[in-house]
Coordinates of all heavy atoms in Angstrom, one line a residue:
M1 N 0.8 -1.2 0.0 CA 0.0 0.0 0.0 C 0.9 1.2 0.0 O 1.9 1.3 0.7 CB -0.9 0.0 1.2 CG -2.0 -1.0 1.3 SD -3.1 -0.6 2.6 CE -4.6 -0.6 1.6
P2 N 0.5 2.2 -0.8 CA 1.2 3.5 -0.8 C 1.1 4.2 0.6 O 0.2 4.1 1.3 CB 0.6 4.3 -1.9 CG -0.2 3.4 -2.7 CD -0.6 2.2 -1.8
V3 N 2.1 5.1 0.8 CA 2.2 5.9 2.0 C 2.1 7.3 1.7 O 2.8 7.8 0.8 CB 3.5 5.6 2.8 CG1 3.6 6.5 4.0 CG2 3.5 4.1 3.2
I4 N 1.3 8.1 2.4 CA 1.2 9.5 2.2 C 2.3 10.1 3.1 O 2.2 10.0 4.3 CB -0.2 10.1 2.6 CG1 -1.3 9.5 1.7 CG2 -0.2 11.6 2.5 CD1 -1.3 10.0 0.3
S5 N 3.3 10.7 2.5 CA 4.4 11.3 3.3 C 3.9 12.6 3.9 O 2.9 13.2 3.5 CB 5.6 11.5 2.4 OG 5.3 12.6 1.4
N6 N 4.7 13.0 4.9 CA 4.4 14.3 5.6 C 4.5 15.4 4.6 O 3.7 16.4 4.6 CB 5.4 14.5 6.7 CG 5.1 13.6 7.9 OD1 4.0 13.1 8.1 ND2 6.1 13.4 8.7
D7 N 5.4 15.4 3.6 CA 5.6 16.4 2.6 C 4.3 16.5 1.7 O 3.9 17.6 1.3 CB 6.8 16.2 1.8 CG 8.1 16.5 2.6 OD1 8.0 17.2 3.6 OD2 9.1 15.9 2.2
M8 N 3.9 15.3 1.3 CA 2.7 15.3 0.4 C 1.5 15.8 1.2 O 0.7 16.6 0.6 CB 2.4 13.9 -0.1 CG 1.3 13.8 -1.1 SD 1.2 12.1 -1.8 CE -0.1 12.3 -3.0
A9 N 1.3 15.4 2.4 CA 0.1 15.9 3.2 C 0.2 17.4 3.4 O -0.8 18.1 3.2 CB 0.1 15.2 4.5
K10 N 1.4 17.9 3.6 CA 1.6 19.3 3.8 C 1.3 20.1 2.5 O 0.7 21.1 2.5 CB 3.1 19.6 4.2 CG 3.3 21.0 4.7 CD 4.7 21.2 5.1 CE 5.1 20.3 6.3 NZ 6.5 20.5 6.8
A11 N 1.7 19.5 1.3 CA 1.4 20.1 0.0 C -0.1 20.1 -0.3 O -0.6 21.1 -0.8 CB 2.2 19.4 -1.1
I12 N -0.8 19.1 0.1 CA -2.2 19.0 -0.1 C -2.9 20.1 0.8 O -3.8 20.8 0.3 CB -2.8 17.6 0.2 CG1 -2.3 16.6 -0.8 CG2 -4.3 17.6 0.3 CD1 -2.5 15.2 -0.4
K13 N -2.5 20.2 2.0 CA -3.0 21.2 2.9 C -2.8 22.6 2.4 O -3.6 23.5 2.5 CB -2.4 21.1 4.3 CG -2.9 19.8 5.1 CD -2.2 19.7 6.4 CE -2.4 18.4 7.1 NZ -1.6 18.3 8.3
R14 N -1.6 22.8 1.9 CA -1.2 24.2 1.4 C -2.0 24.5 0.2 O -2.6 25.6 0.2 CB 0.3 24.2 1.1 CG 0.8 25.6 0.7 CD 2.3 25.7 0.4 NE 2.6 24.7 -0.6 CZ 3.5 23.7 -0.5 NH1 4.0 23.5 0.7 NH2 3.8 22.9 -1.5
Q15 N -2.1 23.6 -0.7 CA -2.9 23.9 -1.9 C -4.4 24.1 -1.6 O -5.1 25.0 -2.1 CB -2.8 22.8 -3.0 CG -1.6 22.8 -3.8 CD -1.6 24.1 -4.7 OE1 -2.6 24.6 -5.1 NE2 -0.4 24.5 -5.0
R16 N -4.9 23.3 -0.7 CA -6.3 23.4 -0.3 C -6.5 24.8 0.4 O -7.5 25.5 0.1 CB -6.6 22.3 0.7 CG -8.1 22.3 1.1 CD -8.4 21.1 2.0 NE -9.3 21.7 3.0 CZ -9.1 21.7 4.3 NH1 -8.1 21.2 4.9 NH2 -10.0 22.3 5.1
G17 N -5.6 25.3 1.2 CA -5.7 26.6 1.8 C -5.6 27.7 0.8 O -6.3 28.7 0.9
E18 N -4.6 27.6 -0.1 CA -4.5 28.6 -1.1 C -5.7 28.8 -2.0 O -6.1 29.9 -2.4 CB -3.3 28.3 -2.0 CG -1.9 28.6 -1.3 CD -0.7 28.2 -2.2 OE1 -0.9 27.8 -3.3 OE2 0.4 28.2 -1.6
L19 N -6.4 27.7 -2.3 CA -7.6 27.7 -3.1 C -8.8 27.9 -2.3 O -9.9 28.0 -2.8 CB -7.7 26.4 -3.9 CG -6.6 26.1 -4.9 CD1 -6.7 24.7 -5.4 CD2 -6.6 27.1 -6.0
N20 N -8.7 28.0 -0.9 CA -9.8 28.2 0.0 C -10.9 27.1 -0.2 O -12.1 27.4 -0.3 CB -10.4 29.6 -0.2 CG -11.2 30.0 1.0 OD1 -10.9 29.5 2.1 ND2 -12.1 30.9 0.8
L21 N -10.4 25.9 -0.3 CA -11.4 24.7 -0.5 C -11.7 24.1 0.9 O -10.9 23.9 1.7 CB -10.7 23.7 -1.3 CG -10.4 24.0 -2.8 CD1 -9.7 22.9 -3.5 CD2 -11.7 24.3 -3.5
K22 N -13.0 23.7 1.0 CA -13.4 22.9 2.1 C -13.1 21.5 1.8 O -12.8 21.1 0.6 CB -14.9 23.0 2.3 CG -15.4 24.4 2.7 CD -16.9 24.4 2.8 CE -17.4 25.8 3.0 NZ -18.9 25.9 2.9
V23 N -13.0 20.6 2.8 CA -12.7 19.2 2.6 C -13.8 18.6 1.6 O -13.4 17.8 0.8 CB -12.7 18.5 3.9 CG1 -12.5 17.0 3.7 CG2 -11.5 19.0 4.8
T24 N -15.0 19.0 1.7 CA -16.0 18.5 0.8 C -15.8 18.9 -0.6 O -16.0 18.1 -1.5 CB -17.4 19.0 1.3 OG1 -17.5 20.4 1.4 CG2 -17.8 18.3 2.6
D25 N -15.3 20.1 -0.8 CA -14.9 20.6 -2.2 C -13.8 19.7 -2.7 O -13.8 19.3 -3.9 CB -14.5 22.0 -2.2 CG -15.6 23.0 -1.8 OD1 -16.8 22.6 -2.0 OD2 -15.3 24.0 -1.2
L26 N -12.8 19.5 -1.9 CA -11.6 18.7 -2.3 C -12.1 17.2 -2.6 O -11.6 16.6 -3.6 CB -10.5 18.7 -1.2 CG -9.3 17.8 -1.5 CD1 -8.6 18.3 -2.8 CD2 -8.3 17.9 -0.4
A27 N -13.0 16.7 -1.8 CA -13.6 15.4 -2.0 C -14.3 15.3 -3.4 O -14.1 14.3 -4.1 CB -14.5 15.0 -0.9
E28 N -15.0 16.3 -3.7 CA -15.7 16.3 -5.0 C -14.7 16.4 -6.2 O -14.8 15.7 -7.2 CB -16.6 17.5 -5.1 CG -17.9 17.4 -4.3 CD -18.8 18.6 -4.4 OE1 -18.5 19.5 -5.2 OE2 -19.7 18.7 -3.6
Q29 N -13.6 17.2 -6.0 CA -12.6 17.3 -7.1 C -11.8 16.0 -7.3 O -11.3 15.8 -8.4 CB -11.7 18.5 -6.8 CG -12.4 19.8 -6.9 CD -11.5 21.0 -6.7 OE1 -10.2 20.8 -6.8 NE2 -12.0 22.1 -6.5
T30 N -11.6 15.3 -6.2 CA -10.7 14.1 -6.3 C -11.5 12.8 -6.3 O -11.0 11.7 -6.5 CB -9.8 14.0 -5.1 OG1 -10.6 14.0 -3.9 CG2 -8.8 15.2 -5.0
N31 N -12.8 12.9 -6.2 CA -13.7 11.7 -6.2 C -13.4 10.8 -5.0 O -13.4 9.5 -5.2 CB -13.7 10.9 -7.5 CG -14.4 11.7 -8.6 OD1 -15.4 12.4 -8.4 ND2 -13.8 11.7 -9.8
L32 N -13.0 11.3 -3.9 CA -12.7 10.6 -2.7 C -13.7 11.0 -1.6 O -14.3 12.1 -1.7 CB -11.3 10.9 -2.2 CG -10.1 10.5 -3.1 CD1 -8.8 11.0 -2.6 CD2 -10.1 9.0 -3.3
S33 N -13.9 10.1 -0.6 CA -14.8 10.5 0.5 C -14.1 11.5 1.4 O -12.9 11.6 1.5 CB -15.2 9.3 1.3 OG -14.1 8.9 2.1
R34 N -14.9 12.3 2.0 CA -14.4 13.4 2.9 C -13.8 12.7 4.1 O -12.8 13.2 4.7 CB -15.4 14.4 3.3 CG -16.6 13.9 4.0 CD -17.7 15.0 4.1 NE -18.9 14.5 4.5 CZ -19.4 14.4 5.8 NH1 -18.6 15.0 6.7 NH2 -20.5 13.9 6.1
F35 N -14.2 11.5 4.5 CA -13.7 10.8 5.6 C -12.3 10.3 5.3 O -11.4 10.4 6.2 CB -14.6 9.6 6.0 CG -16.0 10.0 6.3 CD1 -17.0 9.8 5.5 CD2 -16.3 10.7 7.5 CE1 -18.3 10.2 5.8 CE2 -17.6 11.1 7.8 CZ -18.6 10.8 6.9
T36 N -12.0 9.9 4.1 CA -10.7 9.5 3.7 C -9.8 10.7 3.7 O -8.6 10.6 4.2 CB -10.7 8.9 2.3 OG1 -11.5 7.7 2.3 CG2 -9.3 8.6 1.8
L37 N -10.3 11.8 3.2 CA -9.5 13.0 3.2 C -9.2 13.5 4.6 O -8.0 14.0 4.9 CB -10.1 14.1 2.4 CG -10.2 13.9 0.9 CD1 -11.0 14.9 0.2 CD2 -8.8 13.8 0.3
Y38 N -10.1 13.5 5.5 CA -9.9 13.8 6.9 C -8.7 13.0 7.5 O -7.9 13.5 8.2 CB -11.1 13.7 7.8 CG -12.1 14.9 7.7 CD1 -13.4 14.7 7.3 CD2 -11.7 16.2 8.0 CE1 -14.3 15.7 7.2 CE2 -12.6 17.2 7.9 CZ -13.8 17.0 7.5 OH -14.7 18.1 7.4
R39 N -8.8 11.7 7.2 CA -7.7 10.8 7.8 C -6.4 11.2 7.2 O -5.4 11.2 7.9 CB -8.0 9.3 7.4 CG -9.1 8.7 8.3 CD -9.2 7.2 8.2 NE -8.4 6.6 7.2 CZ -8.9 6.1 6.0 NH1 -10.2 6.2 5.8 NH2 -8.1 5.6 5.1
V40 N -6.3 11.5 5.9 CA -5.0 11.9 5.3 C -4.5 13.2 5.8 O -3.4 13.3 6.2 CB -5.2 12.0 3.7 CG1 -4.0 12.6 3.1 CG2 -5.4 10.6 3.2
L41 N -5.4 14.2 6.0 CA -5.0 15.5 6.4 C -4.7 15.6 7.9 O -3.8 16.4 8.3 CB -6.1 16.5 6.1 CG -6.4 16.7 4.6 CD1 -7.7 17.6 4.4 CD2 -5.2 17.3 3.9
N42 N -5.3 14.7 8.7 CA -5.0 14.6 10.1 C -3.8 13.7 10.4 O -3.4 13.7 11.6 CB -6.2 14.2 10.9 CG -7.3 15.3 10.9 OD1 -7.0 16.4 10.8 ND2 -8.5 14.8 10.9
G43 N -3.3 13.0 9.4 CA -2.2 12.1 9.7 C -2.5 10.8 10.2 O -1.6 10.0 10.5
T44 N -3.8 10.5 10.4 CA -4.2 9.1 10.9 C -4.3 8.1 9.8 O -4.3 6.9 10.1 CB -5.5 9.2 11.7 OG1 -6.5 9.7 10.8 CG2 -5.4 10.1 12.9
G45 N -4.4 8.5 8.5 CA -4.5 7.6 7.4 C -3.2 7.6 6.6 O -3.2 8.0 5.5
E46 N -2.1 7.2 7.2 CA -0.8 7.2 6.6 C -0.8 6.2 5.4 O -0.3 6.6 4.3 CB 0.3 6.8 7.6 CG 1.7 6.8 7.0 CD 2.7 6.4 8.0 OE1 2.4 6.6 9.2 OE2 3.7 5.9 7.6
Y47 N -1.3 5.0 5.6 CA -1.4 4.0 4.5 C -2.7 4.2 3.8 O -3.8 4.2 4.4 CB -1.3 2.6 5.0 CG 0.1 2.4 5.6 CD1 0.3 2.4 7.0 CD2 1.2 2.1 4.8 CE1 1.5 2.1 7.5 CE2 2.5 1.9 5.3 CZ 2.6 1.9 6.7 OH 3.8 1.7 7.3
V48 N -2.7 4.3 2.4 CA -3.9 4.6 1.7 C -3.9 3.6 0.5 O -2.9 3.0 0.2 CB -4.0 6.0 1.1 CG1 -4.1 7.0 2.3 CG2 -2.8 6.3 0.3
T49 N -5.0 3.5 -0.2 CA -5.2 2.6 -1.3 C -4.5 3.3 -2.5 O -4.2 4.5 -2.5 CB -6.6 2.4 -1.7 OG1 -7.2 3.6 -2.0 CG2 -7.4 1.7 -0.5
D50 N -4.3 2.5 -3.5 CA -3.7 3.0 -4.8 C -4.6 4.1 -5.4 O -4.1 5.1 -5.9 CB -3.5 1.9 -5.8 CG -2.4 1.0 -5.4 OD1 -1.4 1.4 -4.7 OD2 -2.4 -0.2 -5.9
K51 N -5.9 3.9 -5.3 CA -6.8 4.9 -5.9 C -6.7 6.2 -5.2 O -6.7 7.3 -5.8 CB -8.2 4.3 -5.7 CG -9.3 5.3 -6.2 CD -10.7 4.9 -5.8 CE -11.7 6.0 -6.2 NZ -12.5 6.3 -5.2
T52 N -6.6 6.2 -3.8 CA -6.5 7.4 -3.1 C -5.2 8.1 -3.4 O -5.2 9.3 -3.6 CB -6.6 7.1 -1.5 OG1 -7.9 6.5 -1.3 CG2 -6.5 8.4 -0.7
Y53 N -4.1 7.4 -3.4 CA -2.8 8.0 -3.6 C -2.8 8.6 -5.0 O -2.3 9.8 -5.2 CB -1.7 6.9 -3.5 CG -0.3 7.5 -3.6 CD1 0.3 8.1 -2.5 CD2 0.3 7.5 -4.9 CE1 1.6 8.6 -2.7 CE2 1.6 8.0 -5.0 CZ 2.2 8.6 -3.9 OH 3.5 9.1 -4.0
N54 N -3.2 7.9 -6.0 CA -3.2 8.4 -7.4 C -4.1 9.6 -7.5 O -3.8 10.6 -8.2 CB -3.6 7.3 -8.4 CG -2.6 6.2 -8.5 OD1 -1.4 6.5 -8.2 ND2 -3.0 5.0 -8.8
A55 N -5.3 9.6 -6.9 CA -6.2 10.7 -7.0 C -5.6 12.0 -6.4 O -5.7 13.1 -7.0 CB -7.5 10.4 -6.3
L56 N -5.0 11.9 -5.2 CA -4.4 13.0 -4.6 C -3.1 13.5 -5.3 O -2.9 14.7 -5.5 CB -4.0 12.7 -3.1 CG -5.2 12.5 -2.2 CD1 -4.8 12.0 -0.9 CD2 -6.0 13.8 -2.1
N57 N -2.3 12.6 -5.8 CA -1.2 12.9 -6.6 C -1.6 13.6 -7.9 O -0.9 14.7 -8.2 CB -0.4 11.7 -6.9 CG 1.1 12.0 -7.3 OD1 1.6 12.9 -6.8 ND2 1.6 11.2 -8.2
E58 N -2.6 13.2 -8.6 CA -3.0 13.8 -9.8 C -3.6 15.2 -9.5 O -3.3 16.1 -10.3 CB -4.1 12.9 -10.4 CG -4.7 13.5 -11.7 CD -3.7 13.4 -12.9 OE1 -2.8 12.6 -12.9 OE2 -3.9 14.3 -13.8
W59 N -4.3 15.3 -8.4 CA -4.9 16.6 -8.1 C -3.8 17.6 -7.8 O -3.8 18.8 -8.3 CB -5.8 16.5 -6.9 CG -6.4 17.8 -6.4 CD1 -7.5 18.4 -7.0 CD2 -6.0 18.6 -5.4 NE1 -7.8 19.5 -6.3 CE2 -6.9 19.7 -5.3 CE3 -5.0 18.6 -4.5 CZ2 -6.7 20.8 -4.4 CZ3 -4.8 19.6 -3.5 CH2 -5.7 20.7 -3.5
L60 N -2.8 17.2 -7.1 CA -1.6 18.1 -6.8 C -0.9 18.5 -8.1 O -0.5 19.6 -8.3 CB -0.6 17.4 -5.8 CG -0.9 17.6 -4.4 CD1 0.1 16.7 -3.6 CD2 -0.9 19.0 -3.9
Y61 N -0.7 17.5 -8.9 CA 0.0 17.7 -10.2 C -0.7 18.8 -11.0 O -0.1 19.6 -11.6 CB 0.2 16.4 -10.9 CG 1.0 16.6 -12.2 CD1 2.3 16.7 -12.2 CD2 0.4 16.5 -13.5 CE1 3.1 16.9 -13.3 CE2 1.1 16.7 -14.6 CZ 2.4 16.9 -14.6 OH 3.1 17.0 -15.7
Q62 N -2.0 18.7 -11.1 CA -2.8 19.6 -11.9 C -2.7 21.0 -11.3 O -2.8 22.0 -12.1 CB -4.3 19.2 -11.9 CG -4.5 18.0 -12.8 CD -6.0 17.5 -12.7 OE1 -6.8 18.1 -12.0 NE2 -6.3 16.4 -13.4
K63 N -2.6 21.2 -10.0 CA -2.5 22.5 -9.4 C -1.2 23.2 -9.4 O -1.1 24.3 -9.2 CB -3.0 22.4 -7.9 CG -4.4 21.8 -7.7 CD -5.4 22.6 -8.4 CE -6.8 22.0 -8.3 NZ -7.7 22.5 -9.2
L64 N -0.1 22.4 -9.8 CA 1.2 23.0 -9.8 C 1.5 23.6 -11.2 O 1.1 23.4 -12.2 CB 2.3 22.0 -9.5 CG 2.2 21.5 -8.0 CD1 3.2 20.4 -7.8 CD2 2.3 22.6 -7.0

């Protein structure tokens, strides 16, 4: 299972803050549940599925 690094979580938080997105907005954009995103953003969901990792990685890539 892929691991969300601290740097990746920090980058997601930073982009979300810059775009002024709620977790529900991010969930809609990534097609992930808000519960999964809460776990990732709070650091309790270090190990994630391939789908989650790819969705977050793709979202970050599009925003850079």
Side-chain angles (χ1 to χ4, degrees):
M1 292 192 123
V3 176
I4 299 290
S5 67
N6 288 336
D7 291 337
M8 185 173 181
K10 195 179 296 185
I12 294 167
K13 291 176 190 178
R14 184 177 58 243
Q15 277 297 331
R16 188 179 138 236
E18 288 177 4
L19 298 171
N20 200 25
L21 293 175
K22 297 178 186 174
V23 174
T24 52
D25 297 332
L26 180 58
E28 288 177 11
Q29 290 183 16
T30 58
N31 292 322
L32 299 172
S33 75
R34 60 189 168 97
F35 302 107
T36 298
L37 291 173
Y38 278 122
R39 284 194 350 255
V40 168
L41 296 173
N42 291 329
T44 58
E46 181 178 336
Y47 295 100
V48 295
T49 64
D50 290 332
K51 177 190 174 232
T52 300
Y53 184 84
N54 291 336
L56 291 172
N57 198 33
E58 180 69 25
W59 181 79
L60 274 177
Y61 183 73
Q62 290 175 357
K63 300 303 176 192
L64 297 179

